[in-house]
Amino acid sequence: MSARRVIVIGGGIVGLAVAERLSREPGTEVTVVEKEPTWAAHQTGRNSGVIHSGLYYAPGSQKALMCRAGSQSMIELAREEGIPHEVCGKLVVATQGRELAGLARLRDRGRANGLVVEELTPEQAREIEPHVQCVAALRIPATGIIDYGAVCQALVRRLESRGAALVLGAEVLSSVQRGSVTVVRTTRGDLEADAVVACAGLHCDVVARRLGHHPSAQVIPFRGEYYELAPGATHLVRNLIYPVPDPSFPFLGVHLTRGVDGHVHAGPNAVLAFAREGYTWGTVVPGELRQTLAYPGFWRLARRYYREGAREMLRSASRHQFGESLRRLVPEVRDEDLVPTAAGVRAQAMKPDGTLVDDFLIERSGNVVHVLNAPSPAATSALEIARHIAGLVPADA
């Protein structure tokens, strides 16, 4: 009996986790195709390294279920592979009375998702984070930190040990169907597969169309800009400090997170990127920007959130305004403590009516599985997403 050949497109944490999972199955030959010269070059390598607990997500959603399970499987992998990590817990703080109702909703949601959520007075919060300012807080002990780049390297080592083909610098151009075989055409030649899993992140909808699928949503890229606290200010944050999310805006708001390397990240904000890989204001890809501006859903979203969007742009343009957001949480942070660091871009799937896809979105077309929305907490959930997708790939493909 011939081996089942599976191509996985995308060398971020989700693609590598899917490939690693499939490589365990007897009689399966796995090839990973990545357009960049390195692994984890985009979303995976540019996040704040948090192992999310599952606090924010609707009970019963894929995000909630996979994040809860994924935080455990990610920690198990880290222990097995010696990857730096720590389950340090985090605080979510209400800085004024009008945020208390939102804090209570978050408490109830976290508990509905099976989490331990501790309610703290301001004095109790300052025992954990001495420099925080709040009127009340929640502590979520299950939140942690990790080096996701190291996770990807561990997955690559596992794939290499099982004989998987790892192809860097190969952009997917198109595909053709020859009977039950899919021929994926790349800049490094044609590859034949019995099944394909596309985990192309920022380009997932583009790759889906190149593979002949009509995705139900389009990626709109949002840049998240970060600062680091200067070495003299890192003592202001012991672990992780988050605000109460604004219920009128679909992003978490700037927060402070210590990494496993001891650096403290501040951010991210959320501004429209002018390219799929638009890590700076000056990075503009006209065709990609036109695609965003021509999408009817974008203008519906813009009308709905123009005030919040204007605030995010002001925060992007002004270190002082960025600092003001942080000083709501930790008043001692000074503007001069903020050192610019690498930005990330979130691949956010949007429906034509302007609604942001709130859950993971995975679609199947023939023998091709498309991952079309996998923003945070996808890194935390990667091993569980991989388990789910492996079940969608036909065993007799």
Side-chain angles (χ1 to χ4, degrees):
M1 183 177 178
S2 60
R4 177 181 65 160
R5 299 165 299 175
V6 181
I7 293 173
V8 177
I9 300 168
I13 194 169
V14 174
L16 291 171
V18 169
E20 191 274 337
R21 185 80 192 185
L22 290 167
S23 73
R24 303 181 197 179
E25 299 182 5
T28 298
E29 295 177 355
V30 175
T31 299
V32 185
V33 177
E34 165 57 44
K35 76 178 182 67
E36 300 294 348
T38 59
W39 307 109
H42 294 293
Q43 292 181 107
T44 304
R46 290 173 172 265
N47 64 36
S48 52
V50 175
I51 303 174
H52 290 284
S53 61
L55 175 69
Y56 299 102
Y57 317 117
S61 65
Q62 286 186 318
K63 278 188 177 181
L65 298 172
M66 291 187 186
C67 186
R68 285 278 289 126
S71 64
Q72 297 304 309
S73 55
M74 188 59 64
I75 290 167
E76 289 170 11
L77 173 69
R79 288 172 177 159
E80 291 170 5
E81 297 288 345
I83 296 167
H85 70 287
E86 182 182 345
V87 182
C88 56
K90 82 171 180 182
L91 293 188
V92 180
V93 301
T95 59
Q96 44 196 320
R98 64 184 176 88
E99 294 177 334
L100 291 173
L103 196 71
R105 286 193 294 271
L106 207 56
R107 173 203 64 205
D108 294 343
R109 174 165 283 193
R111 289 176 177 170
N113 283 331
L115 297 174
V116 173
V117 181
E118 302 169 357
E119 298 180 83
L120 305 180
T121 65
E123 294 74 24
Q124 290 170 323
R126 282 191 289 274
E127 288 177 8
I128 297 167
E129 292 284 356
H131 301 276
V132 79
Q133 171 183 273
C134 64
V135 296
L138 302 177
R139 180 173 181 265
I140 300 86
T143 304
I145 54 177
I146 197 168
D147 181 345
Y148 284 119
V151 171
C152 289
Q153 291 303 318
L155 294 172
V156 167
R157 288 194 299 272
R158 290 185 173 190
L159 285 162
E160 288 173 335
S161 72
R162 296 184 191 130
L166 304 175
V167 186
L168 291 167
E171 182 177 355
V172 171
L173 302 174
S174 64
S175 71
V176 293
Q177 202 69 26
R178 292 178 182 163
S180 62
V181 173
T182 299
V183 180
V184 177
R185 291 178 167 162
T186 82
T187 52
R188 290 191 58 186
D190 292 354
L191 298 167
E192 293 187 352
D194 303 300
V196 178
V197 182
C199 308
L202 289 161
H203 301 274
C204 62
D205 55 333
V206 174
V207 168
R209 287 190 288 271
R210 290 179 181 179
L211 297 179
H213 181 60
H214 299 287
S216 64
Q218 177 172 310
V219 165
I220 303 297
F222 288 95
R223 184 170 60 256
E225 296 159 331
Y226 288 93
Y227 288 88
E228 281 187 1
L229 293 190
T234 55
H235 70 282
L236 297 175
V237 179
R238 287 183 173 176
N239 293 304
L240 314 178
I241 305 172
Y242 281 63
V244 178
D246 181 349
S248 69
F249 195 55
F251 299 101
L252 289 180
V254 298
H255 41 273
L256 292 151
T257 58
R258 175 176 62 86
V260 290
D261 58 3
H263 293 188
V264 176
H265 274 83
N269 60 355
V271 295
L272 180 69
F274 298 156
R276 301 284 179 122
E277 298 167 21
Y279 297 113
T280 67
W281 279 108
T283 305
V284 181
V285 176
E288 293 178 357
L289 180 57
R290 281 196 300 272
Q291 188 180 45
T292 293
L293 298 179
Y295 191 59
F298 169 73
W299 293 106
R300 294 186 175 106
L301 180 84
R303 283 194 293 270
R304 195 175 306 146
Y305 295 115
Y306 70 92
R307 290 188 182 88
E308 294 86 352
R311 285 199 297 268
E312 293 293 308
M313 291 180 70
L314 178 62
R315 193 155 47 189
S316 173
S318 168
R319 183 174 67 164
H320 176 71
Q321 289 300 319
F322 206 106
E324 286 291 280
S325 298
L326 298 171
R327 281 186 283 275
R328 291 179 55 237
L329 310 174
V330 179
E332 294 168 63
V333 173
R334 304 170 300 166
D335 291 349
E336 53 266 38
D337 294 328
L338 301 178
V339 180
T341 190
V345 177
R346 175 187 177 110
Q348 176 62 59
M350 182 186 293
K351 295 287 189 177
D353 65 359
T355 57
L356 300 181
V357 178
D358 191 47
D359 209 349
F360 299 139
L361 177 62
I362 300 167
E363 296 177 354
R364 182 175 160 185
S365 177
N367 62 344
V368 184
V369 178
H370 301 274
V371 180
L372 295 170
N373 194 58
S376 180
T380 300
S381 311
L383 301 178
E384 302 309 312
I385 295 172
R387 185 193 306 271
H388 174 70
I389 289 174
L392 300 177
V393 179
D396 57 349

